[in-house]
Amino acid sequence: MATLTAGALGKMVKDSPPGLQAVLQVINLKKIAANGANDRYRLLVSDGEATYSHVMLATQLNTMMENNEIDALCVIRVNRYLCNTIQQDKRILILLDLEVLRKGSEVKEKIGNPTQLKLDAAGSAPAPQQDQPPPVQETSCRAAPALARPPLNPARIAGGNNATSPMQSSNSFGAKRPQAGPGTPGSDRVHKIATLTPYQNRWRIRARVTQKSNIRTWSNSRGEGRLFNVNFLDESGEIRATGFNDAVDKFYELLEVNKVYYVSRCSLKTANKQYSNVKNDYEMSFNNDSVIEKCEEEVDLPCMTFDFVPINEMEKHPAKSIVDVIGVVKVCNDLSTVIGRQSQKEITKRDLQIVDQSGSAINMTLWGSDAQSFDGSSHPVIAVKGASLSDFGGRSMSVLASSQTIVNPDIREAHMLRGWYDREGANMDFSTFKSDGMSGGGTSWKTFGQVVQENLGQGEKADWFTTKATLMHLKKDNCMYQACPTENCNKKLVDQGNGMWRCEKCQREFPNYKWRMILQATLSDFSGHQWVTSFQESAETLLGVKADELGDMRQNNEAAFDQVFQQALFKDYVFKLRAKVEVYNEESRLKTVCVAATPVDYTQYGKHLVEEIQKMGL
DNA sequence: CCCCCCCC
């Protein structure tokens, strides 16, 4: 029988001496599904005297689980480990390197009579959750919501949870009560959202629903189904929850915005921050075991928290990130429609310009019913939780279906904005994001390095950007052609050899032609380089001659023609470029078109650089 | 397990 390293677990958890090796028995193991690819394994281990359950396998050892090398009751030697403290006082052992000394299938039984590891106050390890919630910015709001979705009843936005719906005679759904139900002293305690982790089994929160999505369907290569999201909020923090398929039927009607619920037995996994700005490292999904009960008592829980980003700081946040914003609607444009590139359907939209005390303005687009129901006629204050940032025009914003919009919220920030705008803001000039760029004209500045880093042009549609670069190389061959003289027809003509040229598009022959340019060039900056194609106007700028002159030179004065190319090299311009990946002979490459080239205005470019430096926050 | 959110 193998000998375990008695007392090892206490040392590992409390002092974590480096180099400590310990022979331990794995009593039990369990898979914790994280974001798809990265499953984690949690172990209950024993050193013969004590057991410890906050033990995780480092992901690089996952294969030992997957090929059943580590099984229940096996004896392992831990060669390397870490002890992480998470959420105040919880200590998690992470096993980094281990070998299996004996398979559990041979050992067959628990070694010794270990009891749960106890730690003194100094060790302060996994005490049952006594966690005090960290202070949290809390904005309770009594507001008149203006947008139709999701249903927010103004009468209920604050205060108790006393609003009832006739539909809601039964308020408990899901499986039986948790074993630790009401009446079981101690176990009935309510946990704080901020203390939830995937590493604990038993918890119950009491939280207000602050946001609720519509039911959506999805269909992709991994399957199809229905889902909805809600956000829960308590004094300690917030968490996003998702209900899939059956959970939609079970919980969608029960969960109402602004009401309070007891929630337990849901799955927790690490949150993908890309898709929400809910301040939690984890998110939950409802499963067959989950229990959600309406809380009937009056409880004083916050209604909504915001983490407002001042408008002038929007450039510090990357495009596509999700932020909260509050501002006064300075301009409310009429409804308009666009055709969705993907859906090919007509979509209603409304553009707003909102401003705040930072002196900056930003464009914000509302879509669909949000756009239709919006009334901006009185320059209201608008607060949006979870709007998405885009880099169109430097920076602009879009209100998503998952965003929460509140018009004239009864919060401090809104009152301050109202007073400021009525006093002075209405007559102020605001800086807009597009005005930063010289010939930038609505596209953001990128270096070639950033173009690669940020995968520009890899998406469905082309990405536009502005850059200052040096003209490093020009391709002389085929840089121009004889084009149809008909206005707006730039088709290449076929030389008939008899003094006539034929346009296949116009189905006509002409005695004359016009020169058109397609110039291939390499541009370079400190971070990289890029092949680009320039057409007529921008090519003329780069070469410093008109196409007609150049065509003349090519035919009559080859030396002059060559010299144009020599002189053009190594000059700097500000380029407006359009990039899109195209697949050509099974090879994909970034096709970049020069939409405009302008000589560098160094005063303005210097200002741009200063702004970039300021954005770095140095 | 979704995560699309549209246009210039």
Side-chain angles (χ1 to χ4, degrees):
Chain A
M1 159 160 156
T3 311
L4 304 182
T5 313
L9 283 172
K11 283 185 204 153
M12 290 164 81
V13 173
K14 264 189 280 187
D15 313 319
S16 315
L20 176 78
Q21 296 191 338
V23 178
L24 304 170
Q25 185 179 28
V26 176
I27 306 292
N28 213 338
L29 38 91
K30 156 175 167 185
K31 179 153 121 179
I32 294 167
N35 262 339
N38 282 330
D39 288 334
R40 299 295 307 254
Y41 293 92
R42 177 176 170 174
L43 312 174
L44 174 66
V45 299
S46 157
D47 62 11
E49 290 179 351
T51 63
Y52 196 62
S53 67
H54 299 267
V55 182
M56 302 294 297
L57 199 65
T59 48
Q60 69 263 28
L61 301 182
N62 277 4
T63 48
M64 299 182 82
M65 282 291 182
E66 285 146 14
N67 61 23
N68 203 32
E69 205 175 328
I70 299 173
D71 57 356
L73 301 177
C74 71
V75 174
I76 58 174
R77 182 168 63 224
V78 176
N79 296 321
R80 277 192 312 126
Y81 69 98
L82 269 178
C83 182
N84 277 350
T85 304
I86 63 156
Q87 307 272 341
Q88 283 107 23
D89 284 345
K90 283 191 210 64
R91 297 202 178 177
I92 301 218
L93 285 181
I94 296 163
L95 308 186
L96 300 172
D97 180 46
L98 63 86
E99 54 198 292
V100 176
L101 303 180
R102 287 188 67 198
K103 294 278 290 180
S105 51
E106 297 167 26
V107 180
K108 290 202 176 89
E109 58 182 12
K110 184 158 74 176
I111 299 169
N113 274 313
T115 56
Q116 199 177 329
L117 183 66
K118 292 204 170 48
L119 291 149
D120 52 34
S124 73
Q129 288 89 28
Q130 298 288 357
D131 325 55
Q132 282 307 307
V136 150
Q137 177 214 351
E138 196 181 285
T139 308
S140 91
C141 51
R142 291 160 292 279
L147 301 185
R149 168 260 351 122
L152 253 183
N153 186 332
R156 296 176 190 168
I157 209 160
N161 193 37
N162 45 11
T164 50
S165 140
M167 302 295 289
Q168 229 66 68
S169 54
S170 156
N171 58 28
S172 176
F173 280 66
K176 340 122 234 168
R177 279 184 186 291
Q179 284 146 349
T184 316
S187 49
D188 193 25
R189 220 170 18 80
V190 167
H191 293 74
K192 301 300 176 205
I193 285 175
T195 70
L196 297 184
T197 72
Y199 314 114
Q200 61 201 135
N201 284 321
R202 294 264 174 264
W203 51 262
R204 193 162 83 119
I205 57 166
R206 182 174 63 193
R208 190 185 298 278
V209 172
T210 55
Q211 295 186 62
K212 174 179 163 183
S213 75
N214 293 325
I215 299 168
R216 287 174 296 140
T217 57
W218 88 88
S219 170
N220 60 30
S221 57
R222 286 186 293 279
E224 55 183 63
R226 295 177 303 144
L227 72 119
F228 75 105
N229 294 108
V230 288
N231 287 355
F232 290 115
L233 177 72
D234 71 7
E235 314 84 326
S236 75
E238 55 185 343
I239 192 163
R240 195 163 87 125
T242 308
F244 292 102
N245 303 318
D246 290 353
V248 176
D249 302 322
K250 240 162 145 181
F251 299 126
Y252 187 78
E253 291 297 326
L254 171 68
L255 290 167
E256 290 181 66
V257 171
N258 210 39
K259 293 193 178 171
V260 177
Y261 300 84
Y262 288 102
V263 180
S264 59
R265 296 185 161 201
C266 303
S267 313
L268 281 153
K269 62 164 191 168
T270 47
N272 192 338
K273 300 278 186 180
Q274 197 186 334
Y275 302 119
S276 87
N277 67 333
V278 168
K279 304 275 175 300
N280 202 312
D281 289 340
Y282 306 110
E283 58 187 34
M284 59 170 76
S285 54
F286 305 135
N287 58 48
N288 285 332
D289 250 7
S290 298
V291 181
I292 304 178
E293 301 172 290
K294 192 144 146 238
C295 170
E296 300 290 0
E297 310 104 75
E298 289 266 328
V299 287
D300 189 21
L301 283 178
C303 290
M304 175 79 92
T305 57
F306 292 99
D307 189 11
F308 294 126
V309 175
I311 293 173
N312 67 330
E313 289 180 19
M314 290 300 173
E315 274 181 313
K316 288 184 184 164
H317 294 257
K320 294 178 184 157
S321 63
I322 306 282
V323 297
D324 300 346
V325 69
I326 188 166
V328 179
V329 177
K330 183 173 171 63
V331 179
C332 176
N333 287 294
D334 291 339
L335 286 175
S336 58
T337 56
V338 292
I339 305 294
R341 185 179 285 264
Q342 208 108 326
S343 63
Q344 291 299 313
K345 281 186 197 148
E346 196 172 80
I347 309 144
T348 307
K349 70 156 191 165
R350 186 193 297 277
D351 283 317
L352 309 178
Q353 189 192 45
I354 63 167
V355 296
D356 69 8
Q357 297 101 319
S358 74
S360 285
I362 194 165
N363 191 78
M364 182 151 89
T365 306
L366 305 175
W367 301 96
S369 58
D370 286 350
Q372 276 159 351
S373 60
F374 187 81
D375 175 9
S377 53
S378 57
H379 298 290
V381 172
I382 183 171
V384 183
K385 187 180 173 65
S388 94
L389 264 181
S390 110
D391 59 7
F392 181 76
R395 275 289 179 280
S396 55
M397 308 190 78
S398 203
V399 175
L400 309 178
S402 57
S403 309
Q404 183 78 38
T405 307
I406 305 180
V407 174
N408 293 327
D410 184 13
I411 57 177
R412 201 180 62 94
E413 291 92 334
H415 297 306
M416 289 178 55
L417 273 169
R418 177 85 275 145
W420 159 80
Y421 189 80
D422 293 344
R423 221 171 32 247
E424 52 179 328
N427 300 315
M428 273 174 60
D429 286 330
F430 292 91
S431 57
T432 58
F433 288 96
K434 68 175 61 133
S435 71
D436 80 325
M438 328 185 335
S439 66
T443 67
S444 58
W445 286 80
K446 303 282 174 196
T447 65
F448 290 127
Q450 286 173 314
V451 169
V452 174
Q453 214 171 38
E454 298 173 21
N455 294 319
L456 257 57
Q458 308 288 323
E460 272 299 305
K461 53 181 181 179
D463 284 312
W464 294 63
F465 63 97
T466 299
T467 198
K468 193 205 79 156
T470 308
L471 187 52
M472 299 301 287
H473 182 74
L474 289 164
K475 223 167 129 179
K476 258 188 291 188
D477 307 335
N478 304 320
C479 71
M480 59 199 319
Y481 63 92
Q482 293 159 326
C484 177
T486 309
E487 200 170 357
N488 296 326
C489 176
N490 295 323
K491 183 90 183 144
K492 186 176 178 175
L493 297 174
V494 181
D495 190 345
Q496 303 296 96
N498 57 359
M500 296 295 279
W501 287 265
R502 178 170 175 79
C503 176
E504 289 300 337
K505 193 174 166 191
C506 300
Q507 301 277 325
R508 266 186 66 188
E509 289 189 8
F510 299 94
N512 60 326
Y513 54 80
K514 65 189 180 197
W515 285 107
R516 292 284 303 179
M517 303 188 62
I518 320 181
L519 182 63
Q520 310 285 336
T522 322
L523 311 182
S524 220
D525 66 13
F526 71 94
S527 65
H529 64 93
Q530 179 64 50
W531 272 101
V532 306
T533 304
S534 296
F535 295 101
Q536 196 78 345
E537 292 76 13
S538 59
E540 287 176 336
T541 303
L542 296 182
L543 293 177
V545 291
K546 290 286 176 194
D548 286 340
E549 300 171 54
L550 191 70
D552 223 38
M553 288 180 203
R554 193 170 80 163
Q555 283 178 335
N556 306 317
N557 188 348
E558 202 172 327
F561 179 79
D562 287 347
Q563 206 185 353
V564 165
F565 282 81
Q566 286 300 325
Q567 285 177 342
L569 288 178
F570 311 122
K571 290 187 179 162
D572 284 2
Y573 298 89
V574 171
F575 293 94
K576 191 168 172 181
L577 300 169
R578 188 181 65 219
K580 169 99 178 70
V581 158
E582 288 190 357
V583 181
Y584 197 77
N585 287 340
E586 294 180 10
E587 196 184 327
S588 71
R589 56 177 189 166
L590 194 66
K591 190 168 182 229
T592 304
V593 171
C594 171
V595 181
T598 41
V600 182
D601 175 333
Y602 282 95
T603 310
Q604 284 201 52
Y605 184 63
K607 279 183 193 161
H608 161 69
L609 290 180
V610 168
E611 281 171 22
E612 291 290 308
I613 291 164
Q614 279 166 350
K615 269 189 252 165
M616 294 173 187
L618 297 174

